[in-house]
Amino acid sequence: GDSVTQMEGPVTLSEEAFLTINCTYTATGYPSLFWYVQYPGEGLQLLLKATKADDKGSNKGFEATYRKETTSFHLEKGSVQVSDSAVYFCALGGNTNAGKSTFGDGTTLTVKP
Amino acid sequence: NAGVTQTPKFQVLKTGQSMTLQCAQDMNHNSMYWYRQDPGMGLRLIYYSASEGTTDKGEVPNGYNVSRLNKREFSLRLESAAPSQTSVYFCASKPEGPNTQYFGPGTRLTVL
């Protein structure tokens, strides 16, 4: 079945540091790939997505590129802020209408001033 | 638009009690989902509904039932709560196709 493997956390960085959170997947077919972010006490919300190979999703300074050859969708940001502290989930979404998604276990990021 | 709303936000139950978690969305989405989130285990799908009138089991359905009351509402029922069901429960909805899921704010349930 489909699966998503995320870099284990927690990750602690200083403000303005470079961030990479690794995500690899296994899936049949051609899934869409997503990064969701969860701030404390809230539900998940979409951060960025990519729907086909070589697509780059970007939002709020975060980027991730859909790499079919390495089955990866790593999240990167050049300069993190304290406000980026959250839990980040990598997910893949099926192409059926039910569209069940498979989520990674989440990576907790803490950014210190 | 309110998006996805969930009630209640917090609940404490005793073992053996029953309750229903409510979820509603105002985005006219066909698909709706119930997840539980436990520390270190990410999100696990309990049940989902691809369209009004249909429901299917997810990864961890035991101990739960669901009702897709209409296109807007998808409720999750615990008939006899157990401490192992202490968790944060999220409802989500999605339009047709390989699209983003939209999540509610969650219900934090403690079973004593």
Side-chain angles (χ1 to χ4, degrees), chain A residues 87-102:
Chain A
V87 182
Y88 293 82
F89 291 90
C90 184
L92 64 84
N95 288 325
T96 64
N97 282 338
K100 288 188 294 178
S101 290
T102 301

Side-chain angles (χ1 to χ4, degrees), chain B residues 46-50 54-58 66:
Chain B
I46 305 170
Y47 271 93
Y48 67 101
S49 170
T54 68
T55 60
D56 286 286
K57 294 179 180 179
V66 290

